[in-house]
Amino acid sequence: MKNIFYIIFLFFSSLIFSQNQPYIYGSFESNSQLLQNDQSLDFISPEDNFRSNNYFQINYQINNILAGIQYEGYLPSSLLGFYPELDNQNKITNYFIKIQNEKSDITVGSFYEQFGNGLIFRSWEDRQLGINNAIKGIKLKYYPSDNIELTALYGQQRDGFNYTASTIQGLNTEINLNQMLNLKEVDLSIGSSIVNRYQENGANDSIPSNVSAYGGRLNMYAGDFSLNIEGVIKDPDVIANENNLVSNRLYDGTALQVDLGYSKKGIGINTTFRRLENFNFYSDRLAEGNIYNQKTLSFTPTLSKQQDYLLTNIYVYNSQPRLVMNSIEKRSGEVGFQNDFYYTFDKDNLLGKYKTKIAFNFSYWSGIESTFNQDNSYDVKFIGNGDRYYRDLNLEIKNRWNSKLRTAITFLDVIIDKGITLGGPLGVQGDIKAKVGVIEANYLHANGKSSRGVLQHLWTKNDRKNWLGLVYEYGISSSVNVFVSDGWNYGRSDKIHYYNLGGSYSKNSTRVSLNYGRQRGGLICIGGVCRYVPESNGFNLNLSYSF
Amino acid sequence: MRNFIFLSVFLLSFAGFSQKTLPNINLKTFEGDKVNVADLTSNDKIAILSLWATWCVPCIKELDAINELYDEWKTQVDFEVYAISVDDSRSINRAKALVNGKGWEHNILLDTNHNLKRSLGASAIPVTIIVRNNKILYQHTGYRNGDEYELFEKLKTLSKE
């Protein structure tokens, strides 16, 4: 608390010297649920059947000084499936002051940062996933010239309402070479990073107290082509499972990502290759593989198309960067690629005078072929022929027929390892093969009201068999919207309906939404990071307001 | 808790002085050049800023719709569109392919670690704002078919003020 008063003191002492008007901005967000028993889902509401996550942040800027705080309250409990450490707590969780000038800036307190594309380090916040792994400490940025950016940081990482015992240090450089090398035809930039974790090893001398990761990257744009390469190696470290060390043996880790793109007006192609071998970096060595995505330093999201229809969302992939060595399964990581293709037809074509758009995506992810030896070491190929974890193929065609009607047709063909969707070991339980078709229509009525209808079907002989999905949304005005939806799992003997209905109101920076219905259990993935949510039934109320 | 309430009331009492202004935040272009949000609309220029992502279907619908009408609108109001991607590293490399593949005319900026998104308090996207001289004149969250016409009416009215 003393720290906060110190910041306030700084706010107002700066006010006295200031010539400019200060300004204040911030936001409030509240997400609540009221749960009820549902026999069909075998869902028994927990004792705290009202649960609520609340966030309030306020920032104050004057001249070159910006300061802010964030308050969070999870009262009386956090939403179902969130990190249990948050339950029944409320506090000012983040506070910072940042002083900027042209050549440098300094932040003291909580901060977020990302090096490169985050493979080596990313601290960030995602409220829907329950992630806030801000670092509390000090961050310096220095710009010796327009083309160079240097970052140094030092601190401890947030873990729920506490901080991890380890200290994190990081250094990052970004260099834009265009001016230095007087490049005309290409844009070229390079970067490098080091991130170190110091964590005491207690009485165990055979495990390292210092573990570092070293990364390098290159980004190049030449005409219509782009190339991004990033590689990271991590010092040998122990591996852990469910808060226990697997052994005292140390294993190093590596990550490599290559993106190659070609695009010009009307056409875009992008291919991403990524290989992750034992590539997990946490601020606590025992946190490896925790299901709540807490204490992460490295950011290794799933690289496949992010689905957002009711039924395309059921069989989703979750990245598998870990080295796992136990009696049930042995695997060393993940390798694969995804491919995107976007194309827009010229104005006049068979489907009318508006431009028809096509998007195609393909991805394939598997384990890395490895042989595991008696002494707990392993030999690994660069790619090899490992177990297939996931493969999908998406095709989407969007067309506008006239000023009133737009349609979209989507087709998805997916194969996923049962272990990814249902849990348990990978590569031994068999696959789920499914196909999904979606037809969506958007219609603008003459009186300014709008309709959106989605019809979808999922075909599979595995797991929970076939599904039928329906969504209807009615826009009463640009601020008021209501919807009903149902995902009907009719292929199963109990033929369960996952119905939902609700509405939202949105005006300026205020948004309120309320819905009632059944939540399908499974992985909820946002930006490639997945959180498991249990089945439930009840009301959800979301409020957000910014000022 | 009491301290918190005290602090908020204290700070909010200063909100009277403030106008809703875009924060001083650096974004990047695909090529890695730095662009400060505060510099986008100096000199009385009016602009539409839209926070979007490759995985956000309503965002893409909105930007498609604006793109289709852009030439027509431009004959009536002199404005720019800045489509600010909040894609993180999962999808950022797909963004360029998508922008070109869809033939968008918008200026694209990247907010990869959500600095702008956070400071606007945007919990859901799309968030669409109309800005002039760095002041937020209009803000809207979400998109449904037809919202682009209301956005354009706002833009026309505000551009005359």
Side-chain angles (χ1 to χ4, degrees), chain B residues 12-41:
Chain B
L12 281 172
S13 62
F14 283 84
F17 292 113
S18 76
Q19 259 187 302
K20 199 156 178 185
T21 310
L22 276 182
N24 186 9
I25 282 171
N26 281 323
L27 302 175
K28 286 198 170 158
T29 64
F30 279 119
E31 288 75 24
D33 298 323
K34 238 183 288 171
V35 176
N36 195 310
V37 193
D39 298 335
L40 294 180
T41 58

mmCIF file of all heavy atoms in Angstrom, chain B residues 12-41:
data_model
loop_
_atom_site.group_PDB
_atom_site.id
_atom_site.type_symbol
_atom_site.label_atom_id
_atom_site.label_comp_id
_atom_site.label_asym_id
_atom_site.label_seq_id
_atom_site.Cartn_x
_atom_site.Cartn_y
_atom_site.Cartn_z
ATOM 1 N N LEU B 12 -10.999 10.345 -9.838
ATOM 2 C CA LEU B 12 -12.128 10.665 -10.720
ATOM 3 C C LEU B 12 -12.514 12.137 -10.626
ATOM 4 O O LEU B 12 -13.020 12.702 -11.581
ATOM 5 C CB LEU B 12 -13.328 9.781 -10.389
ATOM 6 C CG LEU B 12 -13.244 8.375 -10.970
ATOM 7 C CD1 LEU B 12 -14.373 7.511 -10.424
ATOM 8 C CD2 LEU B 12 -13.311 8.403 -12.488
ATOM 9 N N SER B 13 -12.258 12.726 -9.469
ATOM 10 C CA SER B 13 -12.593 14.128 -9.327
ATOM 11 C C SER B 13 -11.791 14.975 -10.316
ATOM 12 O O SER B 13 -12.157 16.086 -10.638
ATOM 13 C CB SER B 13 -12.346 14.588 -7.896
ATOM 14 O OG SER B 13 -10.967 14.446 -7.612
ATOM 15 N N PHE B 14 -10.701 14.433 -10.807
ATOM 16 C CA PHE B 14 -9.899 15.142 -11.799
ATOM 17 C C PHE B 14 -10.351 14.872 -13.226
ATOM 18 O O PHE B 14 -9.906 15.511 -14.157
ATOM 19 C CB PHE B 14 -8.422 14.756 -11.672
ATOM 20 C CG PHE B 14 -7.781 15.436 -10.518
ATOM 21 C CD1 PHE B 14 -7.886 14.909 -9.253
ATOM 22 C CD2 PHE B 14 -7.100 16.631 -10.691
ATOM 23 C CE1 PHE B 14 -7.321 15.545 -8.170
ATOM 24 C CE2 PHE B 14 -6.539 17.274 -9.612
ATOM 25 C CZ PHE B 14 -6.640 16.732 -8.345
ATOM 26 N N ALA B 15 -11.235 13.884 -13.350
ATOM 27 C CA ALA B 15 -11.642 13.496 -14.699
ATOM 28 C C ALA B 15 -12.346 14.638 -15.405
ATOM 29 O O ALA B 15 -12.389 14.698 -16.623
ATOM 30 C CB ALA B 15 -12.541 12.264 -14.645
ATOM 31 N N GLY B 16 -12.922 15.553 -14.613
ATOM 32 C CA GLY B 16 -13.588 16.712 -15.175
ATOM 33 C C GLY B 16 -12.700 17.509 -16.110
ATOM 34 O O GLY B 16 -13.161 18.061 -17.104
ATOM 35 N N PHE B 17 -11.429 17.544 -15.808
ATOM 36 C CA PHE B 17 -10.488 18.300 -16.635
ATOM 37 C C PHE B 17 -10.203 17.618 -17.960
ATOM 38 O O PHE B 17 -9.693 18.207 -18.877
ATOM 39 C CB PHE B 17 -9.130 18.418 -15.935
ATOM 40 C CG PHE B 17 -9.182 19.276 -14.724
ATOM 41 C CD1 PHE B 17 -8.994 18.725 -13.470
ATOM 42 C CD2 PHE B 17 -9.418 20.629 -14.839
ATOM 43 C CE1 PHE B 17 -9.031 19.517 -12.342
ATOM 44 C CE2 PHE B 17 -9.449 21.425 -13.712
ATOM 45 C CZ PHE B 17 -9.257 20.875 -12.463
ATOM 46 N N SER B 18 -10.480 16.319 -17.975
ATOM 47 C CA SER B 18 -9.927 15.560 -19.084
ATOM 48 C C SER B 18 -10.912 15.463 -20.232
ATOM 49 O O SER B 18 -12.118 15.430 -20.051
ATOM 50 C CB SER B 18 -9.561 14.151 -18.617
ATOM 51 O OG SER B 18 -10.725 13.391 -18.490
ATOM 52 N N GLN B 19 -10.380 15.443 -21.427
ATOM 53 C CA GLN B 19 -11.162 15.128 -22.597
ATOM 54 C C GLN B 19 -10.677 13.787 -23.050
ATOM 55 O O GLN B 19 -9.517 13.464 -22.865
ATOM 56 C CB GLN B 19 -10.854 16.138 -23.679
ATOM 57 C CG GLN B 19 -11.897 17.202 -23.822
ATOM 58 C CD GLN B 19 -11.595 18.044 -25.016
ATOM 59 O OE1 GLN B 19 -10.531 18.630 -25.121
ATOM 60 N NE2 GLN B 19 -12.534 18.089 -25.926
ATOM 61 N N LYS B 20 -11.526 13.011 -23.678
ATOM 62 C CA LYS B 20 -11.061 11.699 -24.074
ATOM 63 C C LYS B 20 -10.084 11.823 -25.240
ATOM 64 O O LYS B 20 -10.449 12.236 -26.330
ATOM 65 C CB LYS B 20 -12.230 10.794 -24.408
ATOM 66 C CG LYS B 20 -11.763 9.383 -24.349
ATOM 67 C CD LYS B 20 -12.839 8.404 -24.096
ATOM 68 C CE LYS B 20 -12.152 7.050 -24.122
ATOM 69 N NZ LYS B 20 -13.039 5.943 -24.006
ATOM 70 N N THR B 21 -8.863 11.493 -24.939
ATOM 71 C CA THR B 21 -7.780 11.699 -25.879
ATOM 72 C C THR B 21 -7.118 10.367 -26.152
ATOM 73 O O THR B 21 -7.085 9.508 -25.288
ATOM 74 C CB THR B 21 -6.746 12.662 -25.255
ATOM 75 O OG1 THR B 21 -7.435 13.800 -24.768
ATOM 76 C CG2 THR B 21 -5.702 13.085 -26.238
ATOM 77 N N LEU B 22 -6.588 10.208 -27.354
ATOM 78 C CA LEU B 22 -5.850 8.978 -27.642
ATOM 79 C C LEU B 22 -4.535 8.996 -26.891
ATOM 80 O O LEU B 22 -3.837 10.005 -26.891
ATOM 81 C CB LEU B 22 -5.561 8.874 -29.134
ATOM 82 C CG LEU B 22 -6.646 8.287 -30.020
ATOM 83 C CD1 LEU B 22 -6.139 8.216 -31.439
ATOM 84 C CD2 LEU B 22 -7.071 6.911 -29.550
ATOM 85 N N PRO B 23 -4.179 7.911 -26.239
ATOM 86 C CA PRO B 23 -2.924 7.897 -25.493
ATOM 87 C C PRO B 23 -1.709 7.922 -26.414
ATOM 88 O O PRO B 23 -1.805 7.651 -27.609
ATOM 89 C CB PRO B 23 -2.993 6.586 -24.723
ATOM 90 C CG PRO B 23 -3.971 5.749 -25.451
ATOM 91 C CD PRO B 23 -4.923 6.659 -26.147
ATOM 92 N N ASN B 24 -0.604 8.266 -25.812
ATOM 93 C CA ASN B 24 0.643 8.396 -26.526
ATOM 94 C C ASN B 24 1.298 7.015 -26.634
ATOM 95 O O ASN B 24 2.097 6.640 -25.792
ATOM 96 C CB ASN B 24 1.478 9.369 -25.685
ATOM 97 C CG ASN B 24 2.756 9.737 -26.344
ATOM 98 O OD1 ASN B 24 2.979 9.419 -27.504
ATOM 99 N ND2 ASN B 24 3.606 10.410 -25.598
ATOM 100 N N ILE B 25 0.915 6.256 -27.660
ATOM 101 C CA ILE B 25 1.385 4.866 -27.751
ATOM 102 C C ILE B 25 1.963 4.615 -29.135
ATOM 103 O O ILE B 25 1.409 5.065 -30.142
ATOM 104 C CB ILE B 25 0.221 3.898 -27.439
ATOM 105 C CG1 ILE B 25 0.010 3.843 -25.926
ATOM 106 C CG2 ILE B 25 0.475 2.496 -27.977
ATOM 107 C CD1 ILE B 25 -1.206 3.114 -25.497
ATOM 108 N N ASN B 26 3.078 3.920 -29.165
ATOM 109 C CA ASN B 26 3.695 3.585 -30.445
ATOM 110 C C ASN B 26 3.157 2.274 -30.992
ATOM 111 O O ASN B 26 3.103 1.270 -30.290
ATOM 112 C CB ASN B 26 5.213 3.446 -30.292
ATOM 113 C CG ASN B 26 5.885 4.797 -30.250
ATOM 114 O OD1 ASN B 26 5.474 5.728 -30.948
ATOM 115 N ND2 ASN B 26 6.906 4.919 -29.420
ATOM 116 N N LEU B 27 2.761 2.299 -32.271
ATOM 117 C CA LEU B 27 2.374 1.074 -32.960
ATOM 118 C C LEU B 27 3.393 0.836 -34.056
ATOM 119 O O LEU B 27 4.213 1.700 -34.342
ATOM 120 C CB LEU B 27 0.984 1.235 -33.570
ATOM 121 C CG LEU B 27 -0.139 1.577 -32.599
ATOM 122 C CD1 LEU B 27 -1.427 1.822 -33.351
ATOM 123 C CD2 LEU B 27 -0.337 0.461 -31.594
ATOM 124 N N LYS B 28 3.333 -0.333 -34.685
ATOM 125 C CA LYS B 28 4.264 -0.613 -35.766
ATOM 126 C C LYS B 28 3.531 -0.879 -37.067
ATOM 127 O O LYS B 28 2.371 -1.257 -37.071
ATOM 128 C CB LYS B 28 5.127 -1.815 -35.394
ATOM 129 C CG LYS B 28 6.165 -1.443 -34.360
ATOM 130 C CD LYS B 28 7.300 -2.428 -34.279
ATOM 131 C CE LYS B 28 8.401 -1.844 -33.400
ATOM 132 N NZ LYS B 28 9.280 -2.863 -32.858
ATOM 133 N N THR B 29 4.231 -0.679 -38.174
ATOM 134 C CA THR B 29 3.698 -1.100 -39.455
ATOM 135 C C THR B 29 4.230 -2.506 -39.723
ATOM 136 O O THR B 29 5.095 -2.989 -38.997
ATOM 137 C CB THR B 29 4.167 -0.175 -40.587
ATOM 138 O OG1 THR B 29 5.593 -0.301 -40.683
ATOM 139 C CG2 THR B 29 3.799 1.274 -40.320
ATOM 140 N N PHE B 30 3.730 -3.143 -40.779
ATOM 141 C CA PHE B 30 4.251 -4.465 -41.142
ATOM 142 C C PHE B 30 5.759 -4.423 -41.352
ATOM 143 O O PHE B 30 6.461 -5.375 -41.066
ATOM 144 C CB PHE B 30 3.593 -4.960 -42.435
ATOM 145 C CG PHE B 30 2.245 -5.566 -42.228
ATOM 146 C CD1 PHE B 30 1.122 -5.029 -42.830
ATOM 147 C CD2 PHE B 30 2.094 -6.694 -41.429
ATOM 148 C CE1 PHE B 30 -0.126 -5.596 -42.642
ATOM 149 C CE2 PHE B 30 0.855 -7.266 -41.237
ATOM 150 C CZ PHE B 30 -0.261 -6.713 -41.849
ATOM 151 N N GLU B 31 6.242 -3.298 -41.887
ATOM 152 C CA GLU B 31 7.668 -3.190 -42.213
ATOM 153 C C GLU B 31 8.512 -2.890 -40.984
ATOM 154 O O GLU B 31 9.732 -2.796 -41.080
ATOM 155 C CB GLU B 31 7.893 -2.115 -43.275
ATOM 156 C CG GLU B 31 7.411 -2.493 -44.669
ATOM 157 C CD GLU B 31 5.897 -2.427 -44.814
ATOM 158 O OE1 GLU B 31 5.278 -1.671 -44.035
ATOM 159 O OE2 GLU B 31 5.332 -3.127 -45.677
ATOM 160 N N GLY B 32 7.878 -2.706 -39.828
ATOM 161 C CA GLY B 32 8.638 -2.483 -38.610
ATOM 162 C C GLY B 32 8.833 -1.011 -38.271
ATOM 163 O O GLY B 32 9.525 -0.679 -37.314
ATOM 164 N N ASP B 33 8.234 -0.093 -39.046
ATOM 165 C CA ASP B 33 8.367 1.327 -38.725
ATOM 166 C C ASP B 33 7.436 1.686 -37.574
ATOM 167 O O ASP B 33 6.336 1.163 -37.459
ATOM 168 C CB ASP B 33 8.014 2.185 -39.946
ATOM 169 C CG ASP B 33 8.961 1.901 -41.106
ATOM 170 O OD1 ASP B 33 10.153 1.676 -40.827
ATOM 171 O OD2 ASP B 33 8.504 1.882 -42.262
ATOM 172 N N LYS B 34 7.919 2.609 -36.739
ATOM 173 C CA LYS B 34 7.143 3.020 -35.578
ATOM 174 C C LYS B 34 6.203 4.169 -35.938
ATOM 175 O O LYS B 34 6.594 5.107 -36.622
ATOM 176 C CB LYS B 34 8.095 3.486 -34.482
ATOM 177 C CG LYS B 34 7.938 2.712 -33.202
ATOM 178 C CD LYS B 34 8.835 3.253 -32.123
ATOM 179 C CE LYS B 34 10.300 2.930 -32.344
ATOM 180 N NZ LYS B 34 11.195 3.628 -31.432
ATOM 181 N N VAL B 35 4.958 4.097 -35.464
ATOM 182 C CA VAL B 35 4.003 5.175 -35.698
ATOM 183 C C VAL B 35 3.323 5.479 -34.372
ATOM 184 O O VAL B 35 2.817 4.570 -33.714
ATOM 185 C CB VAL B 35 2.918 4.738 -36.722
ATOM 186 C CG1 VAL B 35 1.877 5.832 -36.882
ATOM 187 C CG2 VAL B 35 3.544 4.381 -38.057
ATOM 188 N N ASN B 36 3.352 6.771 -33.964
ATOM 189 C CA ASN B 36 2.679 7.121 -32.721
ATOM 190 C C ASN B 36 1.208 7.435 -32.994
ATOM 191 O O ASN B 36 0.897 8.210 -33.885
ATOM 192 C CB ASN B 36 3.371 8.322 -32.083
ATOM 193 C CG ASN B 36 2.941 8.488 -30.637
ATOM 194 O OD1 ASN B 36 1.749 8.493 -30.328
ATOM 195 N ND2 ASN B 36 3.914 8.590 -29.755
ATOM 196 N N VAL B 37 0.316 6.788 -32.236
ATOM 197 C CA VAL B 37 -1.125 6.991 -32.443
ATOM 198 C C VAL B 37 -1.475 8.473 -32.359
ATOM 199 O O VAL B 37 -2.336 8.960 -33.085
ATOM 200 C CB VAL B 37 -1.960 6.279 -31.351
ATOM 201 C CG1 VAL B 37 -3.408 6.220 -31.740
ATOM 202 C CG2 VAL B 37 -1.437 4.908 -31.107
ATOM 203 N N ALA B 38 -0.790 9.163 -31.463
ATOM 204 C CA ALA B 38 -1.102 10.574 -31.247
ATOM 205 C C ALA B 38 -0.807 11.421 -32.488
ATOM 206 O O ALA B 38 -1.338 12.516 -32.627
ATOM 207 C CB ALA B 38 -0.317 11.092 -30.048
ATOM 208 N N ASP B 39 0.028 10.915 -33.392
ATOM 209 C CA ASP B 39 0.371 11.698 -34.592
ATOM 210 C C ASP B 39 -0.571 11.453 -35.769
ATOM 211 O O ASP B 39 -0.459 12.103 -36.803
ATOM 212 C CB ASP B 39 1.800 11.368 -35.055
ATOM 213 C CG ASP B 39 2.818 11.738 -33.996
ATOM 214 O OD1 ASP B 39 2.502 12.634 -33.185
ATOM 215 O OD2 ASP B 39 3.902 11.121 -33.960
ATOM 216 N N LEU B 40 -1.499 10.496 -35.622
ATOM 217 C CA LEU B 40 -2.301 10.101 -36.781
ATOM 218 C C LEU B 40 -3.245 11.198 -37.254
ATOM 219 O O LEU B 40 -3.500 11.333 -38.439
ATOM 220 C CB LEU B 40 -3.133 8.842 -36.455
ATOM 221 C CG LEU B 40 -2.357 7.560 -36.207
ATOM 222 C CD1 LEU B 40 -3.320 6.422 -35.914
ATOM 223 C CD2 LEU B 40 -1.496 7.195 -37.404
ATOM 224 N N THR B 41 -3.802 11.952 -36.310
ATOM 225 C CA THR B 41 -4.846 12.901 -36.709
ATOM 226 C C THR B 41 -4.548 14.329 -36.279
ATOM 227 O O THR B 41 -5.435 15.069 -35.917
ATOM 228 C CB THR B 41 -6.210 12.490 -36.118
ATOM 229 O OG1 THR B 41 -6.070 12.442 -34.691
ATOM 230 C CG2 THR B 41 -6.672 11.156 -36.639
#
